[in-house]
Amino acid sequence: MKLSKKFAVGLAATALVGSLGISAASAATIVAGGATFPLNLMESCRASFAGDSTANAAGHRVDYTGVGSGTGRSNFFKGDYKFAMSDSVFKTSDTSYRTSFVFMPLIAGAINVAYRLDGVKPAGTVLQMSSTTVAKIFAGQIKTWNDASIKADNPIAAQPKLLGLNGQVRFTLAKGAKTTQARLTATLTSKAVTSKTKNLIITSSVDGGKTVKKIYNKKPKAGRITLTVPYAAGTVYSITLDKALVGTVSLDATSVILPDTPVTVYKRKDTSGTTNNFANYLNKTEPTIWTKATNDAFDSAFPGTVPTDGSFVAAQGNDGVSNGVMGKDGGIGYAEVSFVNERQTAGKPIVSAKIKNGAGEFLAGSSAGAALAVGAAAVDSTTGIVTFKYDNTVTGAYPITAVSYGMANTAAYGTAADNAIAKSYVNYVLDTCAPEVAEIKGYSALPASLVATAKAIAAKIGA
């Protein structure tokens, strides 16, 4: 008897499920959601969790939706979500708050100050910003990009080093053997150079970007590349990997020219843990400018009344803020580094500003910088709650870093089956997914000591 094509495919699928040791009847899905900060990691982890026959033999699934930390906590406390993520710590004053639940750190990441500014010279320049400048911009005190505060953060100086794409590429410039040459050393990791990588392009300019000459265009290999490039006084080298403009390096002092483009701030319209962490940084580092204590709602944390003249635009989630910034010349906002990186690698016009840390360095957010910030933070060994020290002087630590926390039920809420899935997923993220893909996705896996604390707390899920 000949089987119908549809029936045959179904039979084959059933056989495959059986061969993987997965029982189709026992597989279940729990509804989850919350913070958009860890969304890119959650998308990866929940996909690999569903297919991991060792950690998840039954083939259970976690259906995670990024709705913001505030909504995530509310939906969790109401019982709509069986697992949630929040970048801000819950408050007992929340109307939906209940006492019986489990709250543990799962992942860390940098909150980048992302901007788009057409017309800055030299082309490819990555702007530097002190905490004072960042606070003034987001308080509405800086109206145009050629403001004196931004100029002061970007003095005339040589810039012989460049770090970009979440720390996966590094460039160092030095004098060459001849006065008409310079030596450019590029170090690219295997994560930056894949089978899909097409080319590394280096251009030079001696007139602030008015005239640009392409001096290198080849498919790179992972590792170190040393190039001899033509040099004349005042030369600025601009570097692009595929479609991502990494930035510029120069041996000589170069003047950064800023256009008078109006500043347009993109803020979160949803209650957000990313906002909470960003506003906390502003309040703790610049309390005379950002005068109010932190809050999940940007408008509530804002020092005064948010302008209604169009200079502030509300957007949904980290995705919405990043999309708004890249679509607006003069736009600036705050988002987890992975959301900026994925647009940069697609060639979109968005840049992560270099923020001044406690050691006096100007750094763009990266996995490595976030890890160092977590290492310098205070950790409550009982609750797992991380309190950042924004003035830490650790070299390489990125100052605006956040931790995203998981929320799950004790036996008092939810079913035993749902709680078991949530527990398995939490342990999978901590043990397997975060260590394997966090850096690739633009996050930072927790240090071993904090993982141990998180797993001790996770053991209470369903108990």
Side-chain angles (χ1 to χ4, degrees):
M1 180 179 69
K2 185 177 180 180
L3 299 175
S4 70
K5 183 176 180 181
K6 182 177 180 180
F7 183 77
V9 170
L11 187 63
T14 302
L16 177 61
V17 169
S19 70
L20 293 175
I22 300 172
S23 170
S26 63
T29 299
I30 60 170
V31 178
T36 65
F37 177 92
L39 181 59
N40 287 336
L41 182 74
M42 289 294 104
E43 287 295 316
S44 181
C45 290
R46 73 187 189 91
S48 56
F49 174 72
D52 193 311
S53 59
T54 301
N56 180 23
H60 296 310
R61 294 181 177 274
V62 177
D63 185 7
Y64 187 92
T65 304
V67 293
S69 294
T71 300
R73 291 195 305 273
S74 178
N75 287 350
F76 173 77
F77 287 137
K78 289 189 297 183
D80 295 340
Y81 289 164
K82 308 307 178 185
F83 169 76
M85 293 288 292
S86 174
D87 313 322
S88 53
V89 179
F90 57 89
K91 295 180 180 179
T92 56
S93 59
D94 289 347
T95 56
S96 55
Y97 172 80
R98 57 176 166 80
T99 57
S100 185
F101 65 99
V102 178
F103 188 84
M104 69 244 112
L106 287 188
I107 194 70
I111 299 175
N112 276 16
V113 178
Y115 69 93
R116 173 186 170 182
L117 185 59
D118 302 345
V120 63
K121 302 294 183 181
T125 297
V126 179
L127 296 181
Q128 302 178 159
M129 294 183 186
S130 63
S131 59
T132 302
T133 297
V134 177
K136 285 182 176 179
I137 289 173
F138 285 89
Q141 295 179 17
I142 291 178
K143 304 293 186 181
T144 60
W145 279 94
N146 62 348
D147 186 271
S149 294
I150 302 177
K151 287 183 178 180
D153 287 342
N154 295 274
I156 299 173
Q159 298 180 347
K161 295 182 180 180
L162 178 65
L163 176 69
L165 296 183
N166 196 32
Q168 300 305 313
V169 296
R170 299 171 184 267
F171 295 89
T172 304
L173 188 67
K175 292 182 178 180
K178 299 179 180 180
T179 57
T180 57
Q181 295 176 339
R183 188 175 70 255
L184 181 61
T185 302
T187 305
L188 302 91
T189 71
S190 58
K191 295 175 182 177
V193 180
T194 68
S195 59
K196 296 181 180 180
T197 301
K198 294 182 178 179
N199 52 7
L200 174 66
I201 299 174
I202 301 173
T203 61
S204 65
S205 177
V206 293
D207 55 11
K210 294 179 182 178
T211 305
V212 177
K213 181 180 180 181
K214 187 177 292 185
I215 58 176
Y216 186 86
N217 183 7
K218 292 183 180 180
K219 181 174 181 176
K221 294 181 179 179
R224 180 175 293 181
I225 305 169
T226 300
L227 306 171
T228 297
V229 294
Y231 166 77
T235 302
V236 176
Y237 303 91
S238 181
I239 300 154
T240 301
L241 181 62
D242 286 342
K243 295 180 180 180
L245 178 61
V246 182
T248 62
V249 287
S250 62
L251 279 174
D252 307 301
T254 56
S255 178
V256 178
I257 301 172
L258 299 167
D260 61 356
T261 309
V263 173
T264 302
V265 174
Y266 285 83
K267 64 186 181 74
R268 292 284 290 274
K269 68 179 179 181
D270 48 323
T271 49
S272 157
T274 308
T275 293
N276 190 297
N277 281 275
F278 184 64
N280 193 50
Y281 160 78
L282 296 176
N283 173 253
K284 293 296 190 295
T285 58
E286 301 295 336
T288 60
I289 299 172
W290 200 267
T291 54
K292 292 182 182 178
T294 193
N295 196 289
D296 279 4
F298 182 92
D299 290 12
S300 297
F302 188 83
T305 303
V306 177
T308 57
D309 58 359
S311 60
F312 280 72
V313 180
Q316 180 72 32
N318 279 263
D319 253 327
V321 168
S322 300
N323 287 336
V325 170
M326 75 178 190
K328 177 68 174 179
D329 181 19
I332 188 169
Y334 52 95
E336 204 281 329
V337 62
S338 68
F339 293 86
V340 182
N341 285 345
E342 65 183 3
R343 286 159 177 80
Q344 287 179 322
T345 54
K348 302 300 182 181
I350 187 170
V351 183
S352 293
K354 296 178 181 178
I355 308 302
K356 190 175 184 179
N357 68 5
E361 303 170 301
F362 286 96
L363 303 169
S366 66
S367 297
L372 290 169
V374 173
V379 178
D380 187 315
S381 59
T382 301
T383 64
I385 292 173
V386 177
T387 302
F388 287 97
K389 300 176 181 179
Y390 300 116
D391 59 351
N392 80 75
T393 57
V394 176
T395 300
Y398 180 72
I400 319 176
T401 296
V403 165
S404 198
Y405 301 85
M407 303 177 71
N409 287 310
T410 59
Y413 292 88
T415 66
D418 287 346
N419 291 342
I421 296 172
K423 187 174 185 177
S424 294
Y425 181 66
V426 165
N427 283 303
Y428 177 76
V429 171
L430 290 169
D431 292 336
T432 304
C433 187
E436 289 182 355
V437 305
E439 186 175 356
I440 299 173
K441 289 293 182 179
Y443 298 88
S444 178
L446 302 179
S449 59
L450 191 51
V451 170
T453 298
K455 286 179 69 66
I457 298 171
K460 301 175 184 177
I461 297 174

